[in-house]
Amino acid sequence: MRRNISLLLLVLFIVGLYVLQNKGVTPFVMKVLESDLFDMKEEEEEQLGKVKNVRTDFAYLHCKAAMLEDHVVPENSEFLDDKYEAWALGGRNYILRSEVLVDSEQGRTAEKFVCKLRMTGDDQTNPDSWSILGTELNPADGGE
């Protein structure tokens, strides 16, 4: 007799859990998922891919300043501002590529540099609103 009651209680417990899952937990989870709680919208729409705009101009200026400050290039280097290219990666991340003239044993040579940075603040003119993620300097005659 005791075995029959235990088996009956087990079946009732399983049925109760099933009903609770289907009538209580699942609808609650679906409402939360459909809400705006997990909908991460960017504050601004930006074009992805190759771009050249005011923001990338400021990004280029901050990249140049960071390269000089970190001594990636010598102080007397001349940046070729009209040759820079920029790509927007989304999430306010950018990659910039350009050339810089550097003094070497062969005279003044052009070297390519790449800079990856992220705009972290709201004021694009403020250097503190930018985070330099990396810079790299390569000889221009090394091929692409």
Side-chain angles (χ1 to χ4, degrees):
M1 181 78 164
R2 191 171 199 155
R3 185 169 191 255
N4 290 341
I5 293 176
S6 296
L7 188 61
L8 179 65
L9 287 176
L10 178 64
V11 169
L12 287 175
F13 182 71
I14 291 173
V15 168
L17 284 178
Y18 179 78
V19 170
L20 178 66
Q21 174 75 27
N22 284 332
K23 299 296 182 186
V25 175
T26 302
F28 174 73
V29 170
M30 294 307 291
K31 280 185 181 180
V32 170
L33 288 176
E34 291 170 358
S35 72
D36 290 333
L37 182 64
F38 296 110
D39 192 14
M40 302 293 277
K41 294 180 183 169
E42 290 191 30
E43 303 86 39
E44 57 192 73
E45 292 289 325
E46 70 178 342
Q47 174 187 350
L48 299 180
K50 195 170 186 178
V51 294
K52 196 165 193 175
N53 55 29
V54 175
R55 181 174 287 170
T56 59
D57 290 342
F58 282 112
Y60 180 70
L61 291 174
H62 296 309
C63 186
K64 285 188 338 184
M67 289 185 72
L68 289 170
E69 183 179 305
D70 295 342
H71 304 293
V72 176
V73 295
E75 290 287 328
N76 62 349
S77 299
E78 180 183 341
F79 290 89
L80 304 176
D81 295 342
D82 57 330
K83 289 193 172 193
Y84 96 83
E85 297 176 296
W87 290 268
L89 304 176
R92 301 167 111 187
N93 291 305
Y94 300 92
I95 290 181
L96 296 130
R97 179 178 70 177
S98 187
E99 291 185 18
V100 60
L101 297 176
V102 179
D103 290 330
S104 66
E105 296 85 31
Q106 297 86 15
R108 204 138 170 97
T109 59
E111 295 187 7
K112 292 190 178 198
F113 72 88
V114 176
C115 184
K116 183 175 181 184
L117 61 164
R118 174 184 297 136
M119 186 174 158
T120 55
D122 293 327
D123 183 13
Q124 62 192 7
T125 62
N126 184 359
D128 294 333
S129 293
W130 292 90
S131 175
I132 305 295
L133 303 175
T135 58
E136 187 174 330
L137 186 66
N138 294 318
D141 58 359
E144 292 187 21

